Amino acid sequence: MHTTRRRISRLAVPAAGTALLLAAAAGLAHAQDGKEQDARPPSAHAATAPAPSVTPRPAAPARKPAATPPGDGTWTDDAATRFWTPERMASATDPAQPASASTTATATAPGTGSPRTRRAVPNGVAAAMPQAEHFPGLKSVGTIFSYAEDPTDDTMRAHKCTASVVDSPGHNLVLTAGHCDGGNAVFVPMYTAERPLDEQPFGFYRVTGWYTDNRYAHNTKKPVSDLDFSFGRLAPAQDGGQAQDVVGANTLRRTPGYLNKVTMVGYPSSHDPEDHPVRCPAQTEALPGFYQIQARCGGMWGGVSGGPWFSEVDWSKGTGVIIGNVGGYNGGGNDADVDWLTYSPMHGDWFFRLYDEAKADAYQPRTTPYTQPPLPYSLGSGATWAHARLLASGDYTGDGKGDLIVVWTDGEVTLYTGDGAGGFTGERRLAAPDSTWKDVKSLTGGDFSGGTGSDLLAVWKSGEVRLLPDVGTKGLAAGIKLADPGSVWTNADQIAGGSFGTAGYVSDLVVRWSDGELTDYTAVGDKGFGTEHQLQKPSDLWKHATLVTAGGFTGGNRWDTLVRWSDGGVSQYQETGPAGLGKEVKMAAAGGVWSHDSAMTAGSYDADGRPDDLVVRWSDGETTMYTHTGAAFGPEHMLVAPK
C-alpha cells in the first residue's frame, strides 16, 4: 500500500485473561506504509490459543537515535545489539505522517457470520468479517528490523516487515515480501517487544543477503507486483546456531488456486500493542487482473508485509505449510489503504525458481520482461451462484473430463467445461433465460442414449420427462419425450442417475416420489424407463429427503445414493441396486452446516476417474467441491466464494 496511510480501527478483543491493550479512541492513529513500516518500499481456521500475558510498553515519543548504523560492512552482531536497544526499537518512527484516516474504501467485504450465512459489510467498513487477534506467536515467524537508506534527518524506522523461516539446505533462509528487502537488517523470530535485542527468546540473525527478482519494482501497481516476494539469507546467531536449527522451518507449497482457507500471521507495527503478533483465519479469492490472491480481515496493519499465509499450522511446533505471503499490488494492499484487505502473490513457477536459487546461493538475473502466466478461469461470484437452482454432472463434451450443467433461477442453462483437475476452463450457454427451463423440477446426467457424451434427463413440473442426448454437441434440442405432461412423473420430486443395476453404465435412475416412495429404474434409455424396482415403500421419512444425488463413493460395483434430509442431516446408502438401498452411513448430523446445502451433484472432476467428487452450492452462493469423497466427505475446495 502507498506511503500516505493513517487509519483508525479496533482489533478484536483477544481471549479472556489477556492484558493486551487495543486501539484507543477515535483520533489515535499511526502512520503506515503499505503493509510494512518503511518509507522506501511501497483466505484452515486458526486453533484457539491463549493470548500472551504481558504488559505492553507505553508508546514512546519519537526521538533521534544517537547514531546511524554503519553501512561499511561492519554490521556485526555486536553492532546490531548495541544499536537496536529497546528504546531505539520503541522510538523508531515513520516520517510519512498523513493528515487523516483513510475513509475512502469502496470495496465490499463479506463477513463470516455462521459457517454458511454471512453478514454484509456496510459502506466498505470492516464491521462483520474476520478480525486479527493477538496470540503468543509462532517461533518460526518474526520481525525484520532495518534502518532507512540515505536518511535525511537521522530519524529511524525500526520494525519494517514480517518474515518466516523456510526450509533450506543451509538452514538459513527467511521468506518475506520483495518490497521488504534492504540493508542493515536483522530477523528476530517470535519477537518479544518487552525485551532488548540480545534477550529475545530465540535470538536474532543478521540478514547478509537478499534474493529478489530483479524485475520487481517496489510499491508498483503493475503486473510485476506479482513478483513481490524475497528470500533473505541469515548469518548464524551469536552462539553459532542457524535459525532453522533453533526455531524449525516452514514448508513452501504452490498456491493451489485462487480460493483457499488460510491463516495469516504477522506483526503490526502500529495500534496498541505495537509489535505483538496477530493471526487471522481468512478466505482468499482472486485479485482480478493479477497473478495474486486477496483476503479480508480487520486489523492487518502496516508491519505485516511479508507475513506468511498458512494452509496448515502446527501451533505446538510453531511451523506449518505456507502458500502465500503478504505482498503484491501496491505493497500488499489496495489504493484505499484499508487494514482489512490484504494481498499475496501466487507462489508459482517464478517463486519456486527464486527459492531454488536462494537455497543454492546462485541467483541468476532475469533478462526477459515479466509476462503474467495464464490466469485461472473463474466461475464468478457468490452473488451469481446464489441463483444456481439445479446441478448435473457428466462428461458432456466427450473428452473424458467431468463437466457441470447449471440451471439458473431465470431459466438460463450453462455448461461449464471441466479441466480434469478439479477446476474449469470455460462456459457455454445452452439455453437463454426463458420460462421453459424455469419449470424444470429435477434433472440428472447419465449415459442413457449410448452416445459419445453424457446425456441430460429432465423432469418438468407438469410431469413431462425428456431425454436430451449428447447435450455438449447437440445442445438442448427437442430431445426424446419419455413422459407427457400430466403423467405420474408430476410426483417425481428428485431424480439421480447412476450405475445401480448390472449394465456397468450410468443408465439407471433413482427416483424419490412425493409420497416418500423410492424406486430404481434400470436400463433407462431412449425407448423408455426400463425396469422399475421398489427400494422404499411410501413413508413419511422419505418425504424429508430434500436433495438426492449419486456417485461411486465406495468404489463398489454399484453406485451409492447420497441424501440430504430437511433437518440438515446427510446419509449415504452404499451400493444401491435393485435389491435395496444398501447400508446407511450417516455423514453429517442434523442441525449442522448442511442445512444450508441448496443444490448438489456428484461426478468425476479430477484425475482419478472415479465419480466421487461432490459439488455443493450453499445458500450464500458459495460453491465447493469435496474431492475423493467416500464414507466421509473428502477435502473441500472452494470453487466460488460466498456473496
Side-chain angles (χ1 to χ4, degrees):
M1 297 184 180
H2 49 264
T3 58
T4 56
R5 162 186 277 174
R6 175 178 289 187
R7 295 172 300 215
I8 302 170
S9 181
R10 183 182 301 275
L11 294 179
V13 178
T18 180
L20 299 180
L21 297 177
L22 302 180
L28 176 62
H30 292 262
Q32 300 302 311
D33 186 6
K35 293 291 185 179
E36 64 164 302
Q37 184 81 8
D38 185 14
R40 180 178 63 95
S43 13
H45 295 294
T48 301
S53 297
V54 296
T55 302
R57 54 174 168 75
R63 68 190 75 174
K64 293 185 178 181
T68 298
D72 56 3
T74 60
W75 185 234
T76 63
D77 287 339
D78 289 341
T81 302
R82 289 194 303 271
F83 184 83
W84 286 121
T85 62
E87 293 77 19
R88 183 166 284 136
M89 289 181 178
S91 66
T93 60
D94 188 332
Q97 297 288 335
S100 61
S102 293
T103 57
T104 58
T106 57
T108 300
T112 51
S114 67
R116 297 295 172 192
T117 56
R118 296 166 170 83
R119 295 170 289 167
V121 179
N123 302 321
V125 178
M129 65 173 66
Q131 295 290 309
E133 65 170 2
H134 288 286
F135 78 115
L138 290 172
K139 62 182 182 179
S140 64
V141 180
T143 57
I144 292 178
F145 286 89
S146 184
Y147 74 92
E149 295 180 353
D150 302 319
T152 58
D153 59 2
D154 292 329
T155 300
M156 305 305 298
R157 288 177 297 283
H159 173 187
K160 180 179 183 180
C161 285
T162 300
S164 53
V165 178
V166 295
D167 186 51
S168 67
H171 292 196
N172 61 348
L173 288 183
V174 289
L175 166 68
T176 189
H179 68 263
C180 292
D181 63 8
N184 288 7
V186 294
F187 169 69
V188 187
M190 205 170 182
Y191 172 66
T192 302
E194 290 71 33
R195 297 183 180 182
L197 188 62
D198 56 353
E199 294 181 10
Q200 291 298 309
F202 298 104
F204 70 90
Y205 304 83
R206 289 179 294 109
V207 180
T208 60
W210 294 100
Y211 305 88
T212 306
D213 195 306
N214 58 283
R215 297 168 299 182
Y216 173 69
H218 287 311
N219 195 26
T220 182
K221 302 177 184 179
K222 297 180 180 180
V224 292
S225 62
D226 296 345
L227 304 173
D228 194 2
F229 38 73
S230 183
F231 295 93
R233 185 178 65 250
L234 305 178
Q238 289 176 300
D239 62 3
Q242 297 288 0
Q244 182 172 332
D245 297 325
V246 176
V247 301
N250 297 290
T251 300
L252 295 178
R253 288 185 186 161
R254 288 177 176 269
T255 311
Y258 282 156
L259 303 170
N260 311 280
K261 285 182 171 62
V262 298
T263 299
M264 300 186 290
V265 174
Y267 281 79
S269 54
S270 72
H271 289 75
D272 295 334
E274 297 179 5
D275 297 339
H276 283 257
V278 298
R279 65 182 176 188
C280 186
Q283 172 64 57
T284 72
E285 58 186 274
L287 178 61
F290 292 85
Y291 194 55
Q292 298 173 35
I293 50 179
Q294 59 182 332
R296 292 167 170 82
C297 175
M300 298 299 287
W301 303 103
V304 302
S305 275
W309 290 19
F310 290 102
S311 62
E312 304 171 27
V313 185
D314 187 327
W315 300 103
S316 62
K317 292 183 178 179
T319 57
V321 176
I322 296 174
I323 61 171
N325 64 272
V326 178
Y329 182 97
N330 204 19
N334 76 339
D335 293 331
D337 282 351
V338 294
D339 67 294
W340 50 265
L341 188 60
T342 308
Y343 302 155
S344 166
M346 297 279 279
H347 289 181
D349 289 346
W350 285 116
F351 177 89
F352 280 94
R353 174 174 169 177
L354 185 67
Y355 180 39
D356 288 342
E357 292 172 347
K359 289 187 292 185
D361 191 17
Y363 176 73
Q364 296 293 321
R366 318 307 185 212
T367 59
T368 58
Y370 172 68
T371 301
Q372 286 183 317
L375 301 182
Y377 173 78
S378 173
L379 287 174
S381 69
T384 298
W385 278 79
H387 299 282
R389 189 168 62 87
L390 300 171
L391 309 176
S393 300
D395 178 14
Y396 299 109
T397 57
D399 61 358
K401 301 173 183 177
D403 308 308
L404 179 68
I405 285 180
V406 179
V407 177
W408 305 91
T409 54
D410 62 359
E412 182 177 353
V413 183
T414 307
L415 168 62
Y416 291 92
T417 53
D419 62 5
F424 297 87
T425 60
E427 64 184 84
R428 177 159 56 94
R429 176 186 280 187
L430 298 179
D434 63 22
S435 59
T436 301
W437 284 88
K438 286 177 67 175
D439 291 332
V440 171
K441 181 191 297 188
S442 185
L443 80 164
T444 186
D447 185 20
F448 304 111
S449 68
T452 57
S454 293
D455 314 314
L456 199 63
L457 191 69
V459 179
W460 272 261
K461 296 176 183 177
S462 66
E464 181 179 354
V465 182
R466 285 188 176 275
L467 170 61
L468 301 146
D470 300 335
V471 294
T473 56
K474 297 180 180 178
L476 299 178
I480 302 167
K481 185 186 292 185
L482 299 183
D484 291 318
S487 73
V488 68
W489 288 84
T490 304
N491 300 313
D493 287 349
Q494 299 284 339
I495 64 172
S499 180
F500 303 115
T502 58
Y505 299 101
V506 187
S507 57
D508 309 315
L509 192 67
V510 165
V511 183
R512 200 275 290 175
W513 301 92
S514 58
D515 62 358
E517 183 182 9
L518 201 72
T519 59
D520 169 25
Y521 290 88
T522 55
V524 177
D526 54 8
K527 304 301 182 184
F529 292 105
T531 304
E532 181 181 14
H533 311 270
Q534 187 180 64
L535 303 179
Q536 171 67 51
K537 293 181 179 180
S539 68
D540 289 338
L541 172 64
W542 278 86
K543 291 180 181 179
H544 295 281
T546 307
L547 298 174
V548 179
T549 190
F553 304 118
T554 58
N557 293 326
R558 295 189 178 97
W559 280 23
D560 316 296
T561 303
L562 200 66
V563 178
R564 198 273 276 177
W565 304 97
S566 59
D567 62 4
V570 179
S571 295
Q572 180 186 106
Y573 294 88
Q574 298 179 343
E575 295 209 46
T576 299
L581 268 169
K583 176 185 176 182
E584 180 184 7
V585 174
K586 292 185 178 180
M587 301 180 70
V593 68
W594 286 85
S595 299
H596 298 281
D597 175 9
S598 297
M600 66 181 183
T601 181
S604 178
Y605 289 96
D606 59 11
D608 69 358
R610 286 180 52 189
D612 59 358
D613 307 314
L614 182 67
V615 177
V616 178
R617 197 274 286 173
W618 304 94
S619 57
D620 60 0
E622 179 179 353
T623 304
T624 56
M625 180 184 294
Y626 294 87
T627 57
H628 308 299
T629 294
F633 297 109
E636 182 181 13
H637 306 274
M638 181 176 288
L639 301 176
V640 178
K643 65 180 178 181

